[in-house]
Amino acid sequence: MLRALICGLAASLILSLPVAAQERRVAVTFDDLPFQADEDAMCDPAYLLRLTQDFVDMLRPLDTRGVAFVNEGKICEATRASTLPQALNLWLDAGLDLGNHTANHINIHRNTAEAYLANVDAGAPTTRAVLEARGGHLHWFRHPYLFTGETPEKHDAIATGLALRGYTIAPVTIDNNDWMFADVYRKAEAVNDAALMQRIGEAYVAHMAAVLDFFEPYSAEITGGREPAQVLLLHANSLNQAWYPQIHALYLARGYRFTPLEEALADPVYRHADTYVRANGISWLHRWTQTEGRPIRWEPQPPVWIKTAYEGAAEDVQRNAIEP
């Protein structure tokens, strides 16, 4: 009922927007499958499948047509062979595609290119098999942390290795720090603070609006005034299970059409040169901006109270989550 009301409100708002605003497009992606949760959840097949089912049940009526990126090694090895295919098929049943996010969310800055590519390979078998069983194929790849290599040699070795494996890189233009809000949200869940969870969710939606206020005109600077198709990075977690419908409605209200990732990447902007090589994971809009020799302007950061709560332990989150 809540989702229907939200989407109905968004649809009514769209009717009042100018035609140009309705031409916006966004591809939605979710990282860190099967779910951002603690190790106990990753070792409990029934609980993990329930988390997955609840998440895709939330997504299904919204028809995002997105791509979800898998860390196969997150599930306990003892139950991985039986549980992971079931979880991934739930995502496919909901109309989403799947991609490789490495086996263990490896940090390239702490590993060699060879170790990184080995972790890419280790993250593929089950996802590939599940896709092929349904007539699909595994070709999407998303860099963990959006790190692409901090030296030219490492960057080029990884890029070459991924290309030889037939992967298409899934870039990101809109990164909104949802992982930080999600961590604080899980801490509020741990202490059963429903009021704080509500406050975090509302702050998350407000932050997303502020991020869009920044990225929409910023992205148009790359294309000479036209807003390109965007790629949104989110994560599979309890925050988005509860609050993604409001994010979805926010995009609808701003005139966005939800599009498959393939269609978004057909936008000419994704053929832009990218010479960014640093120990940092950032939006491709920033990478292209620096490649053009212009200074990067950074997007809004989460509220200070969210950052403060992020630093605190679960038992301290209520005390830490106080406006400065």
Side-chain angles (χ1 to χ4, degrees):
M1 178 65 73
L2 177 60
R3 285 197 294 273
L5 290 172
I6 291 169
C7 292
L9 174 60
S12 67
L13 289 171
I14 287 173
L15 296 177
S16 65
L17 291 173
V19 172
Q22 296 182 44
E23 295 174 354
R24 290 171 167 162
R25 292 174 295 153
V26 62
V28 180
T29 62
F30 293 95
D31 283 8
D32 295 1
L33 266 66
F35 210 78
Q36 283 187 337
D38 60 27
E39 187 175 345
D40 288 344
M42 295 297 103
C43 296
D44 184 337
Y47 182 55
L48 177 58
L49 290 173
R50 185 166 71 252
L51 288 175
T52 303
Q53 187 68 67
D54 288 347
F55 200 94
V56 300
D57 283 349
M58 173 274 294
L59 282 177
R60 185 177 287 105
L62 302 178
D63 191 25
T64 65
R65 296 180 289 172
V67 179
F69 291 87
V70 185
N71 299 124
E72 292 194 6
K74 289 183 70 173
I75 292 188
C76 285
E77 187 173 359
T79 60
R80 189 179 306 154
S82 59
T83 305
L84 184 56
Q86 295 181 69
L88 298 185
N89 272 300
L90 290 173
W91 284 86
L92 294 175
D93 290 342
L96 286 93
D97 199 358
L98 298 173
N100 187 344
H101 198 38
T102 74
N104 304 106
H105 211 274
I106 188 171
N107 185 336
I108 183 54
H109 302 159
R110 300 174 184 171
N111 292 276
T112 64
E114 292 76 16
Y116 186 92
L117 291 170
N119 205 255
V120 171
D121 293 338
T126 301
T127 308
R128 178 177 287 116
V130 166
L131 285 166
E132 289 179 351
R134 301 171 69 132
H137 70 286
L138 177 62
H139 67 98
W140 294 118
F141 180 78
R142 166 70 53 70
H143 299 86
Y145 311 103
L146 303 186
F147 293 166
T148 59
E150 74 279 22
T151 67
E153 295 78 15
K154 194 179 285 187
H155 175 279
D156 293 350
I158 291 169
T160 298
L162 291 171
L164 288 173
R165 287 161 171 78
Y167 284 110
T168 300
I169 304 304
V172 171
T173 57
I174 299 178
D175 180 7
N176 69 335
N177 292 294
D178 76 314
W179 53 271
M180 185 181 295
F181 287 89
D183 180 86
V184 179
Y185 194 83
R186 283 192 296 273
K187 291 172 180 175
E189 286 181 304
V191 294
N192 298 311
D193 191 333
L196 181 55
M197 292 165 63
Q198 178 74 20
R199 183 179 172 212
I200 294 164
E202 291 172 353
Y204 172 47
V205 176
H207 177 68
M208 175 63 83
V211 166
L212 284 174
D213 287 341
F214 170 83
F215 273 126
E216 287 166 353
Y218 186 69
S219 67
E221 296 174 14
I222 296 288
T223 58
R226 173 187 64 85
E227 288 183 28
Q230 308 285 2
V231 179
L232 171 63
L233 169 60
L234 298 173
H235 295 83
N237 53 43
S238 58
L239 171 71
N240 282 315
Q241 197 280 325
W243 289 88
Y244 176 74
Q246 287 86 329
I247 301 299
H248 190 91
L250 173 67
Y251 273 78
L252 288 175
R254 296 175 79 109
Y256 282 88
R257 176 169 61 86
F258 291 86
T259 184
L261 185 56
E262 294 95 330
E263 183 178 320
L265 298 192
D267 190 300
V269 75
Y270 291 97
R271 297 195 290 273
H272 196 292
D274 172 17
T275 61
Y276 184 88
V277 180
R278 297 231 181 129
N280 194 8
I282 60 175
S283 165
W284 265 247
L285 295 171
H286 295 322
R287 297 167 187 263
W288 298 328
T289 295
Q290 186 185 76
T291 298
E292 291 185 354
R294 295 185 289 111
I296 292 173
R297 299 198 312 277
W298 300 106
E299 62 270 28
Q301 292 298 298
V304 171
W305 70 270
I306 289 287
K307 292 184 176 182
T308 302
Y310 174 71
E311 298 294 333
E315 58 270 21
D316 298 326
V317 69
Q318 293 159 304
R319 174 173 54 81
N320 288 343
I322 299 172
E323 292 281 6

